[in-house]
Amino acid sequence: MALVDYGGSSSSASEDEELIESTHPPTMVALKRPALPTAAALLGPKKPKPEEFVEDVVDDPALHGGRIRSFKHERGNWATYVYVPATACVDQLEEFQTEAISNLSSDLELQPNESLHLSLSRTVVLQYHQIDEFSRSLQAALNSSAGFAATLKGLRIYTNEERTRTFIAAPLDAAFVEKMTAILQPIDQVMLDYRLQPFYDPASFHVSLLWCVGDQQTLLNSKLAELQELLEDQDTLPLAVNKVHLKSGNKDFAYILK
């Protein structure tokens, strides 16, 4: 499958020139020897590296709900983050998303988060050639980490660092913060080893459920009690922390915890 989410480095000028066929007319050859076959004819066309399949991407916020990238998309940059999927309560969370969007439709336009997960890193940038090595480092770092059964509890309003988006999120129950922090620590160390930013300090573990454009904290905090009633209609929200995932572009790696 072609790598389509994030591109790699383009080929160099010298490499491109190797593929250009000569356009000069043939000269007179006294011995009338047949032309020697080209390297391309003998070896076949040069196969591109996986990251060369991708064309440059022009970011257009109108194509994705007005979202603005935190960093410029460039060929070779792969957006990367570490997370725990919220699969154990996904049906309940999706029901809440639908009800919240309907109830607040007259106040603002909310969008559902499609990937429901608890982040264990910031979104950072890796180069294509770093991904597999980074994954191996992360797997080794998590080798002794223990999994556990947790729950989400309540709601909280967040904005991103640029304050260009506001989120409604379900925080991790405080009873499980210490255990989640024990998993976060080796992940942070791998980030530092690769000269990447560690997670936020203090860490605030949560699953983002809905978002809207701009800084709407004041409005959404005023609606928090109403939203909380919708969530309380749901049963306990379980979070199975038995795997940690690494998402880099369209690649996804999973590490099973003890």
Side-chain angles (χ1 to χ4, degrees), residues 1-8 49-58 69 73-79 128 131 247-251:
M1 176 179 178
L3 303 178
V4 296
D5 286 340
Y6 298 90
K49 297 178 182 179
E51 64 269 33
E52 291 178 352
F53 280 103
V54 186
E55 297 179 354
D56 288 327
V57 176
V58 178
R69 289 183 182 273
H73 179 92
E74 295 179 356
R75 183 182 291 273
N77 283 355
W78 290 64
Y128 179 83
I131 296 173
K247 178 77 171 173
S248 187
N250 65 348
K251 292 174 173 283

Side-chain angles (χ1 to χ4, degrees), residues 152-195:
L152 304 174
K153 187 175 182 179
L155 289 174
R156 188 169 173 183
I157 308 303
Y158 295 85
T159 63
N160 60 358
E161 288 184 292
E162 299 80 15
R163 307 189 81 81
T164 58
R165 283 202 288 166
T166 308
F167 299 84
I168 302 171
L172 180 70
D173 191 321
F176 303 100
V177 168
E178 185 175 348
K179 289 184 176 180
M180 193 68 79
T181 301
I183 293 176
L184 174 64
Q185 288 172 343
I187 296 171
D188 271 351
Q189 186 57 56
V190 173
M191 292 291 177
L192 292 171
D193 290 344
Y194 280 78
R195 299 184 179 181

Side-chain angles (χ1 to χ4, degrees), residues 82-84 117-122 148 150-156 158 169-188 198-208 239 241:
V82 183
Y83 69 98
V84 173
H117 65 268
L118 184 146
S119 293
L120 288 173
S121 78
R122 301 173 189 251
F148 58 95
T151 56
L152 304 174
K153 187 175 182 179
L155 289 174
R156 188 169 173 183
Y158 295 85
L172 180 70
D173 191 321
F176 303 100
V177 168
E178 185 175 348
K179 289 184 176 180
M180 193 68 79
T181 301
I183 293 176
L184 174 64
Q185 288 172 343
I187 296 171
D188 271 351
F199 201 46
Y200 305 98
D201 185 16
S204 180
F205 303 112
H206 61 273
V207 176
S208 293
L239 183 72
V241 188

